Amino acid sequence: MKRNFSLLFLLFSSTFVFGQNNLSNSVKLGTSTINEVVSAMTLEEKANLVIGTGLRFEGNGPVIGEADGRVPGAAGNTLNFNRFGIPGTVLADGPAGVRIDATRKNDTKTYYATAWPVGTLLASSWDTTLVHKVGVAFGNEIREYGVDVILAPGMNIQRDPLNGRNFEYYSEDPLVTGLIGSAMVKGIQSNGVGTSVKHFAANNQETKRNSIDAMVSERALREIYLKGFELVVKNARPWTIMSSYNKINGVYTSESKDLLTSILRDEWGFKGIVMTDWYGGRDAVAQMIAGNDLIEPGSKSKSQNIIDGVKNGMLDEKVLDRNVTRILEYILKTPSYSKYQYSDKPDLKAHAQIARQAAVESMVLLKNNENILPLKKGTKIALFGVGSYQTVIGGTGSGQVNVAYSVNISEGFNNAGFTIQPELSKQYTTYIQEDKLAHPKKGSLTLGAPRMVPEYSPSTETIENAVNSCDVAVFTLSRNSGEGADRTVKDNFNLTENEQSIIKTLAQSFHQKGKKFVVILNIGGVIETASWRDWADAVLLAWQPGIEAGNSVADVLSGAVNPSGKLAVTFPVNYSDEPGAKNFPGLPVENPTHVKYEEGIYVGYRYFSSFAVKPAYSFGFGLSYTQFAYSNLKLNSDRFNKKITATVVVKNTGKVPGKEVVQLYISAPVKTVEKPELELKGFAKTGLLKPGESQTITFTIDARSLASFNTEVSSWVADAGNYTVKIGASVEDIKLTKNFALENDLEVERVHKALVPQVKIEELSRK
Ligand code: BGC
């Protein structure tokens, strides 16, 4: 009997186990409901799904699994669970292009990607149609390389020029950031792949990025640091958002329910998943509760924390299930889920042409005395500067791209039919070669401040020869930076003594012979220009222009394309003029733990215009080879009722075709809330206008555009009074104004009391 009983038990139990397997084996993502899948998953499986897998950093491993290693070099993955038909998905950097390994073990094929012009350059186009076009091509490349989500775009505000990652970000202004970012996200996602808009939020420096506490007022957060993200979430519905490394007002962003649930989901209606930045935050349970669905790239200990959290009651399993549900909803949308047969052969040639066009349409002409640009065909160029021969196409770190080639400025000039003085060319290339041999590059990923080849000082004789044999001198000044380190004021924001002296010597030598001197700025972030710009006859801000850098620069200098970019960030005279300078990168000085945003809402031009501080080049500024006249500003009403429409006529009054960036600012009455002098509330770029041709531009101003955040009542409010619409070619160059009245105070939207500072922040005020 005993034996029979055991047999029966064995039979029963094996039937039971068999039955259970059978049951869960029949549960499949796609055919079963998500609820059924979640119910069939074990606690351990769920904990492993909310933990990513992939990248290894020394000392941080081991990570769980390897997904299926489909795309080497991709920054992360989500894990696959074959028994539920859940594929792994692939997440890859970054804002300037698909960052994956270009070559693979035992594989003769190559996997190079397009380096798009950096974010700061794209934003200087002020052209959402152009950025959308870049996004569409970028998205195609993402999909064709087997990637599901690109860890981009970078949408932090350029609070301070020294942030080493500014090149990845768009602007100092939230509207430019939000609209350019929306165009990029829509373009990329139109390919059926996702974006991860990053780094949410107030990640405005690299110094102590993993622990710094950004102490920011609720108003500055809402109006400046969250606004761009709000616009992109509402306009473009990104699949995912990446929380940032830093804390806001004492709480890690990835652990902040205020940020990730109350604001992002409840107020803005975000429906996708939130992932951490790589190894970001500390407390996995707090992250789960806050609504940070996915922890990247995941570690065994994090998954154990989650399992323990559920077991000891700190984490309600329903919360875990909610996050798992969101991740499964995401997976259902991915190319990995639909088993898309990617080609690994995107049309890199076609994409390079789009990168070239985008760069050309975004470069900013800062100075052009006596219209010396464009250079005439056949001009003999004395080409100086290491950056002319080794042009920086983009920044470092996760914003870097593995390219098959890139075109430097000297090659670009050659391609455009200019003659480059060969002697100079030889000297520079030999110098760069020797430097490379002396300082071999270690590894493919550079974190922190990259080493730059020091500027070369040509001898007096070399310069004399160049003056005698060439028509014009061109000097390229380069900078590079990337994640992990901020830039310094000395020798980086400011020019080195050597750079200053080369500029001066070249200018004097060429001017003495009646020849002109042009400077090209090949930089990823704002630098000092006021002390040396008088030496130059022309200055072209080329930023970091991506893979076709040299061809793009040549297109502008040859006049093949008329420049039409404008600054999306202010260039101050001195670094100390910056509103955030006095507390960047935080305190204590030797080892910052926190940074107080005492400038409040007065970031960038909001500060310079409100406090009458003259910048070197103002926000919105940029020259063209033609001129534009503004006329006929009309408002559809002089009283605000839900919205107001403004129209203005822009005419090309010069001699060559061109495009103009038209900006709409508003100056508001001051009653309950303090206001900056003026704020950008709309912008548009004309089409290519022929000489004599006009275009009417229409702007719509809604109630939200008038409102500011009133902290007292946690509301967006617009005070009654007189408002002025200012149409400008830049923030300093207002061409036309018109007034309208708001008759009654308006409460536009009441929101949560959230992200409240734990300490007093003495904010800058105009009162
Ligand atoms: C960066 C992210 C990036 C991630 C994955 C982090 O260090 O801050 O922007 O997407 O690494 O490479």
Side-chain angles (χ1 to χ4, degrees):
M1 180 66 202
K2 203 175 167 218
R3 200 164 159 251
N4 278 352
F5 178 79
S6 324
L7 250 173
L8 213 75
F9 175 77
L10 225 125
L11 198 74
F12 174 77
S13 55
S14 61
T15 315
F16 179 74
V17 171
F18 179 73
Q20 190 195 38
N21 274 344
N22 228 2
L23 199 87
S24 57
N25 278 348
S26 65
V27 174
K28 292 276 182 245
L29 185 66
T31 47
S32 315
T33 64
I34 289 186
N35 273 347
E36 285 164 345
V37 178
V38 177
S39 310
M41 289 175 88
T42 64
L43 175 59
E44 195 179 20
E45 283 170 330
K46 290 189 279 193
N48 284 348
L49 182 65
V50 296
I51 299 288
T53 173
L55 189 77
R56 285 166 196 273
F57 277 140
E58 263 172 52
N60 272 310
V63 291
I64 297 170
E66 285 289 346
D68 40 15
R70 257 178 295 152
V71 185
N77 301 88
T78 58
L79 197 59
N80 51 319
F81 296 84
N82 293 336
R83 78 183 183 106
F84 298 114
I86 302 174
T89 66
V90 181
L91 320 170
D93 285 310
V98 186
R99 189 174 67 83
I100 53 176
D101 291 348
T103 53
R104 297 176 184 173
K105 256 196 200 147
N106 307 324
D107 185 346
T108 51
K109 287 205 293 289
T110 55
Y111 303 81
Y112 290 109
T114 306
W116 304 100
V118 298
T120 309
L121 178 54
L122 289 177
S124 313
S125 70
W126 299 64
D127 186 342
T128 50
T129 311
L130 177 78
V131 175
H132 185 266
K133 184 173 171 183
V134 171
V136 171
F138 191 174
N140 168 272
E141 206 161 309
I142 295 162
R143 189 173 171 91
E144 291 310 320
Y145 273 139
V147 173
D148 295 290
V149 167
I150 191 83
L151 306 173
M155 290 196 46
N156 293 101
I157 291 295
Q158 297 191 13
R159 169 177 179 251
D160 189 285
L162 299 186
N163 180 358
R165 290 189 91 165
N166 274 349
F167 73 95
E168 296 183 50
Y169 305 142
Y170 292 129
S171 171
E172 68 190 22
D173 177 78
L175 185 72
V176 176
T177 301
L179 298 189
I180 294 289
S182 298
M184 179 59 87
V185 169
K186 280 188 193 163
I188 293 175
Q189 293 195 168
S190 68
N191 290 274
V193 291
T195 53
S196 193
V197 173
K198 67 191 189 184
H199 308 87
F200 191 53
N203 183 181
N204 307 108
Q205 63 186 59
E206 289 302 288
T207 307
K208 295 282 164 185
R209 67 173 174 167
N210 291 90
S211 55
I212 197 83
D213 184 5
M215 297 173 169
V216 201
S217 72
E218 291 155 73
R219 180 171 177 194
L221 279 169
R222 294 281 186 169
E223 291 187 17
I224 307 293
Y225 299 101
L226 299 184
K227 187 78 198 177
F229 289 102
E230 178 180 357
L231 288 168
V232 82
V233 165
K234 289 181 174 170
N235 292 337
R237 312 225 162 262
W239 287 12
T240 87
I241 298 264
M242 187 189 291
S243 52
S244 54
Y245 283 131
N246 54 289
K247 297 174 188 160
I248 296 180
N249 296 327
V251 182
Y252 279 109
T253 60
S254 61
E255 298 171 14
S256 169
K257 199 170 174 186
D258 271 6
L259 184 68
L260 303 186
T261 297
S262 306
I263 294 179
L264 179 64
R265 295 180 191 275
D266 299 346
E267 290 177 16
W268 302 349
F270 178 67
K271 296 272 185 288
I273 59 169
V274 176
M275 66 179 78
T276 58
D277 197 348
W278 269 229
Y279 303 104
R282 295 283 177 277
D283 181 344
V285 168
Q287 289 173 325
M288 288 296 112
I289 295 170
N292 195 115
D293 312 292
L294 178 63
I295 299 178
E296 279 293 338
S299 65
K300 195 111 200 118
S301 66
K302 287 271 163 94
S303 119
Q304 196 55 50
N305 291 344
I306 290 169
I307 294 169
D308 294 347
V310 171
K311 288 189 175 155
N312 65 26
M314 298 294 281
L315 177 61
D316 186 343
E317 193 162 358
K318 286 205 192 91
V319 169
L320 179 62
D321 289 353
R322 175 199 69 185
N323 298 358
V324 168
T325 301
R326 288 181 190 147
I327 296 176
L328 293 178
E329 283 165 355
Y330 144 74
I331 291 173
L332 277 173
K333 292 194 282 196
T334 58
S336 284
Y337 176 76
S338 57
K339 299 197 171 56
Y340 177 68
Q341 295 299 310
Y342 50 93
S343 64
D344 276 329
K345 273 197 209 125
D347 189 346
L348 295 177
K349 267 201 179 143
H351 293 176
Q353 286 320 304
I354 296 171
R356 176 173 176 171
Q357 183 206 351
V360 172
E361 304 244 339
S362 314
M363 288 180 186
V364 186
L365 184 62
L366 293 177
K367 181 170 181 183
N368 192 15
N369 271 11
E370 298 166 33
N371 296 329
I372 66 148
L373 297 180
L375 300 173
K376 290 192 188 62
K377 235 193 154 76
T379 301
K380 285 195 205 116
I381 301 176
L383 189 56
F384 297 91
V386 167
S388 297
Y389 301 89
Q390 188 177 264
T391 310
V392 178
I393 64 165
T396 62
S398 55
Q400 183 180 308
V401 186
N402 298 319
V403 288
Y405 73 92
S406 67
V407 182
N408 65 41
I409 291 173
S410 86
E411 290 161 342
F413 281 157
N414 279 325
N415 295 343
F418 290 112
T419 312
I420 308 289
Q421 207 237 27
E423 179 52 31
L424 269 180
S425 188
K426 203 166 141 219
Q427 282 189 26
Y428 273 97
T429 37
T430 314
Y431 169 77
I432 293 166
Q433 275 309 325
E434 282 169 3
D435 186 274
K436 270 192 185 155
L437 286 175
H439 301 93
K441 222 176 146 209
K442 293 180 200 116
S444 61
L445 183 69
T446 314
L447 288 179
R451 181 184 175 275
M452 301 284 291
V453 179
E455 194 47 72
Y456 175 64
S457 308
S459 68
T460 315
E461 197 194 337
T462 304
I463 296 175
E464 252 171 44
N465 285 342
V467 175
N468 292 333
S469 59
C470 296
D471 307 314
V472 63
V474 174
F475 173 73
T476 305
L477 183 87
S478 295
R479 290 286 183 271
N480 204 358
S481 67
E483 70 177 279
D486 290 317
R487 295 163 55 216
T488 52
V489 177
K490 187 174 181 310
D491 295 345
N492 197 324
F493 177 84
N494 288 340
L495 272 53
T496 63
E497 265 178 43
N498 192 29
E499 288 165 340
Q500 285 275 6
S501 115
I502 292 169
I503 287 180
K504 198 169 152 187
T505 311
L506 292 177
Q508 282 173 335
S509 315
F510 278 79
H511 287 162
Q512 263 166 21
K513 291 276 167 75
K515 295 181 179 178
K516 303 293 184 191
F517 174 55
V518 178
V519 174
I520 298 171
L521 296 179
N522 171 215
I523 56 182
V526 171
I527 62 162
E528 188 276 323
T529 52
S531 69
W532 56 266
R533 63 180 164 178
D534 288 349
W535 293 106
D537 300 289
V539 180
L540 176 70
L541 174 56
W543 291 117
Q544 294 169 341
I547 194 160
E548 288 280 322
N551 287 333
S552 309
V553 168
D555 284 343
V556 173
L557 289 201
S558 67
V561 182
N562 185 353
S564 58
K566 294 200 180 184
L567 294 178
V569 58
T570 308
F571 274 57
V573 172
N574 297 302
Y575 173 68
S576 55
D577 294 342
E578 280 289 326
K582 81 177 195 326
N583 45 40
F584 185 93
L587 290 171
V589 174
E590 10 11 289
N591 192 16
T593 55
H594 62 275
V595 50
K596 278 192 183 174
Y597 286 32
E598 287 179 327
E599 70 285 357
I601 55 165
Y602 296 108
V603 177
Y605 72 87
R606 283 173 168 77
Y607 169 76
F608 288 89
S609 58
S610 304
F611 292 85
V613 180
K614 184 104 185 107
Y617 295 107
S618 62
F619 179 78
F621 173 78
L623 299 171
S624 163
Y625 295 151
T626 186
Q627 295 81 43
F628 297 95
Y630 289 61
S631 66
N632 242 346
L633 171 60
K634 284 190 193 143
L635 304 184
N636 68 331
S637 166
D638 57 4
R639 251 148 249 280
F640 186 86
N641 181 16
K642 296 210 173 84
K643 61 180 186 195
I644 272 205
T645 308
T647 53
V648 61
V649 177
V650 179
K651 182 176 181 185
N652 182 349
T653 54
K655 296 201 175 70
V656 290
K659 295 182 181 179
E660 171 73 334
V661 173
V662 186
Q663 300 150 48
L664 183 149
Y665 297 89
I666 288 188
S667 291
V670 178
K671 234 172 69 188
T672 49
V673 286
E674 165 166 1
K675 289 273 192 173
E677 182 64 24
L678 75 182
E679 289 184 283
L680 183 78
K681 296 297 175 184
F683 61 87
K685 195 162 191 173
T686 66
L688 187 68
L689 299 179
K690 293 194 201 92
E693 197 180 347
S694 307
Q695 185 177 338
T696 302
I697 305 283
T698 305
F699 296 100
T700 306
I701 305 156
D702 59 7
R704 197 57 189 265
S705 305
L706 308 185
S708 291
F709 190 74
N710 184 342
T711 310
E712 302 286 297
V713 287
S714 295
S715 253
W716 289 90
V717 296
D719 284 334
N722 269 324
Y723 287 75
T724 310
V725 171
K726 299 180 170 176
I727 300 291
S730 81
V731 73
E732 277 189 348
D733 187 8
I734 300 300
K735 305 282 192 189
L736 300 163
T737 64
K738 270 251 150 60
N739 294 335
F740 67 87
L742 175 68
E743 285 177 334
N744 301 307
D745 293 347
L746 259 186
E747 181 174 75
V748 179
E749 190 190 357
R750 188 173 282 256
V751 295
H752 295 92
K753 183 97 189 140
L755 303 172
V756 180
Q758 298 171 349
V759 294
K760 183 147 181 52
I761 303 164
E762 295 291 345
E763 277 190 323
L764 190 63
S765 166
R766 300 177 76 190
K767 283 183 194 145

